[in-house]
């Protein structure tokens, strides 16, 4: 094989990020800048896993250049993303077959309490028919589930920003990291007991290369308590910026705070980076109501297997 495989090392991070940033020239990547840096910064402490990328991410070299990567979000949910430096590498069946094998084996996830069933799910953009055809040949099944990429194209004029009297914006130049943790917990309904290092995780996230405190926004209530949050990620090589995450505390919902912080964030990006043309968002109805539209649908392909103890006759079944 002309490609050299290596497990991920921290020293590869910058090269993989450059690979991702380069891909904006020819696609709206599912695993983009925000996913890489938010995952890298947050998940080690948030999920309390150690060296997940070092153990489960596969990097492929051609000579001394990283040209492809089998990536996950530094967790254990079986979801895999294939990244490529150029489109041509995404058509190379020799490379793809080894990436698929690595995903089915090292990147797969145990699904059931009996520890027999394993699965892996690979997200493949619709343009990559070579990979989707090959992965079906390898026994994967296309799921009804997938991901949709939504983008709001910026207006030429600033967006209207309305806040209830007494509420105000504060950014990362003012707010401590635990403000983000508190809002995140209150938005996604978990507690400190479940994620004891949540505040530490957001503190570490702020060390990421593209983190910008000016684009790390909170809304504070009349008592200066955080009740909403939004973080924007951007590099000038990207045609749009990326929102990750957006949250509103459960007791402050339906008050227009999400729209207000989204519009404030958009205005700040347009002011600081006039070349930026828009912003990604989530796949909930709220985003459609605020001007987002679907640019890409990314199908998911799943492979299921049953792995029995070696002494069990059924263990003879190959993956």
């Amino acid at each position: 094989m002309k490609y050299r495989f290596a497990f991920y090392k921290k020293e590869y991070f910058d090269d993989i990020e450059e690979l991702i940033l380069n891909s904006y020239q020819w696609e709206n990547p599912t695993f983009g800048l925000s996913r890489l840096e938010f995952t890298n910064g947050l998940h080690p402490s948030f999920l309390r896993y150690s060296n997940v990328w070092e153990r489960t991410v596969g990097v492929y070299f051609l000579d001394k250049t990283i040209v492809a990567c089998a990536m996950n979000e530094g967790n254990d949910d079986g979801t895999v993303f294939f990244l490529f430096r150029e489109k041509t590498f995404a058509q190379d069946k020799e490379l793809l077959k080894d990436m698929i094998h690595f995903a089915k084996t090292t990147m797969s996830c145990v699904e059931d309490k009996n520890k027999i069933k394993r699965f892996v799910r690979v997200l493949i953009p619709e343009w990559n028919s070579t990979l989707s055809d090959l992965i079906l040949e390898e026994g994967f099944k296309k799921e009804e589930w997938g991901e949709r990429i939504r983008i709001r194209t910026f207006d030429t004029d600033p967006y209207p920003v309305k806040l209830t009297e007494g509420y105000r914006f504060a950014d990362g130049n003012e707010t401590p990291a635990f403000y983000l943790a508190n809002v995140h917990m209150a938005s996604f309904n978990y507690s400190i007991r479940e994620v004891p290092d949540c505040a530490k995780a957001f503190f570490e996230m702020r060390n990421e290369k593209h983190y910008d405190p000016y684009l790390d926004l909170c809304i504070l209530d009349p008592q200066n308590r955080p009740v909403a949050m939004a973080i924007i990620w951007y590099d000038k090589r990207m045609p749009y910026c990326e929102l990750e995450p957006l949250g509103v505390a459960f007791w402050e919902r339906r008050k227009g705070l999400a729209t207000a912080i989204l519009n404030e964030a958009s205005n700040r990006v347009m002011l600081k980076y006039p070349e930026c043309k828009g912003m990604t968002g989530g796949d909930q109805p709220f985003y459609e109501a605020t001007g987002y539209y679907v640019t890409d649908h990314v199908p998911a392909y799943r492979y299921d297997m049953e792995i029995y103890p070696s002494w069990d006759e059924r263990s003879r079944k190959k993956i």
Side-chain angles (χ1 to χ4, degrees):
M1 184 178 180
K2 61 185 177 183
Y3 300 99
R4 175 173 62 85
F5 171 89
F7 280 100
Y8 173 84
K9 295 179 182 178
K10 285 183 172 62
E11 64 197 65
Y12 300 157
F13 181 87
D14 288 344
D15 286 336
I16 292 172
E17 182 160 83
E18 289 299 308
L19 180 153
I20 290 171
L21 287 170
N22 186 62
S23 72
Y24 285 89
Q25 298 178 34
W26 41 272
E27 68 169 343
N28 297 322
T30 312
F31 199 98
L33 173 69
S34 62
R35 209 161 197 162
L36 177 73
E37 292 205 0
F38 186 73
T39 295
N40 183 59
L42 193 82
H43 279 183
S45 290
F46 190 90
L47 298 175
R48 290 175 285 172
Y49 294 161
S50 63
N51 301 320
V52 174
W53 280 354
E54 286 83 350
R55 297 162 57 195
T56 63
V57 165
V59 180
Y60 291 83
F61 289 80
L62 186 58
D63 296 325
K64 296 181 179 181
T65 301
I66 294 175
V67 298
C69 181
M71 196 68 172
N72 58 36
E73 292 187 296
N75 54 13
D76 187 36
D77 71 354
T79 303
V80 174
F81 307 82
F82 287 175
L83 315 178
F84 303 95
R85 181 168 294 276
E86 297 175 8
K87 263 191 172 183
T88 53
F89 294 112
Q91 319 299 318
D92 190 317
K93 290 188 177 181
E94 179 188 31
L95 173 61
L96 297 181
K97 285 183 178 181
D98 197 80
M99 295 178 75
I100 293 169
H101 174 75
F102 182 71
K104 287 167 68 174
T105 53
T106 305
M107 303 184 83
S108 63
C109 171
V110 175
E111 186 176 37
D112 68 319
K113 64 180 181 181
N114 295 319
K115 296 182 174 55
I116 292 173
K117 296 181 180 179
R118 300 185 71 97
F119 79 96
V120 65
R121 175 187 289 117
V122 181
L123 284 156
I124 302 175
E126 291 185 310
W127 63 262
N128 198 343
S129 57
T130 302
L131 177 55
S132 57
D133 290 346
L134 187 59
I135 212 164
L136 288 171
E137 293 175 11
E138 293 287 331
F140 283 72
K141 306 291 184 184
K142 187 176 182 179
E143 294 188 309
E144 293 183 8
W145 174 89
E147 286 196 10
R148 293 188 296 183
I149 298 174
R150 289 183 182 268
I151 296 176
R152 176 166 78 166
T153 303
F154 286 153
D155 290 337
T156 54
D157 298 321
Y159 290 91
V161 178
K162 297 179 181 179
L163 279 181
T164 304
E165 185 178 354
Y167 289 71
R168 70 180 181 90
F169 294 107
D171 64 33
N173 292 299
E174 174 185 354
T175 57
F178 82 83
Y179 276 26
L180 302 175
N182 283 11
V183 175
H184 198 264
M185 288 192 297
S187 303
F188 297 97
N189 203 31
Y190 62 93
S191 66
I192 293 175
R193 180 183 65 253
E194 296 167 274
V195 188
D197 291 330
C198 184
K200 179 185 177 186
F202 276 97
F203 177 83
E204 291 169 346
M205 181 216 68
R206 284 181 163 182
N207 293 320
E208 290 302 304
K209 187 191 310 182
H210 288 85
Y211 168 77
D212 184 345
Y214 178 68
L215 301 178
D216 169 2
L217 292 175
C218 280
I219 294 177
L220 307 183
D221 73 7
Q223 295 294 337
N224 283 321
R225 295 175 296 234
V227 293
M229 65 175 293
I231 303 174
I232 308 301
W233 306 86
Y234 182 63
D235 182 283
K236 290 185 177 181
R237 286 167 286 182
M238 298 160 55
Y240 49 78
C241 62
E242 296 175 344
L243 171 68
E244 181 62 49
L246 171 69
V248 176
F250 64 85
W251 61 87
E252 295 281 356
R253 292 173 183 166
R254 308 296 183 263
K255 295 182 180 179
L257 297 189
T259 300
I261 200 169
L262 180 63
N263 287 352
E264 173 68 14
S266 298
N267 291 342
R268 289 189 177 210
V269 173
M270 289 191 292
L271 180 63
K272 187 170 183 178
Y273 301 109
E275 73 280 3
C276 183
K277 304 304 181 185
M279 179 187 293
T280 61
D283 196 22
Q284 295 81 37
F286 159 77
Y287 291 96
E288 185 174 353
T290 53
Y292 281 84
Y293 58 94
V294 176
T295 62
D296 301 84
H297 177 261
V298 186
Y301 297 79
R302 176 171 170 138
Y303 186 87
D304 289 274
M305 62 196 103
E306 294 181 339
I307 308 298
Y308 294 93
S310 59
W311 58 85
D312 191 309
E313 189 66 25
R314 291 171 292 182
S315 71
R316 295 177 181 274
K317 181 181 178 181
K318 297 182 179 180
I319 64 168

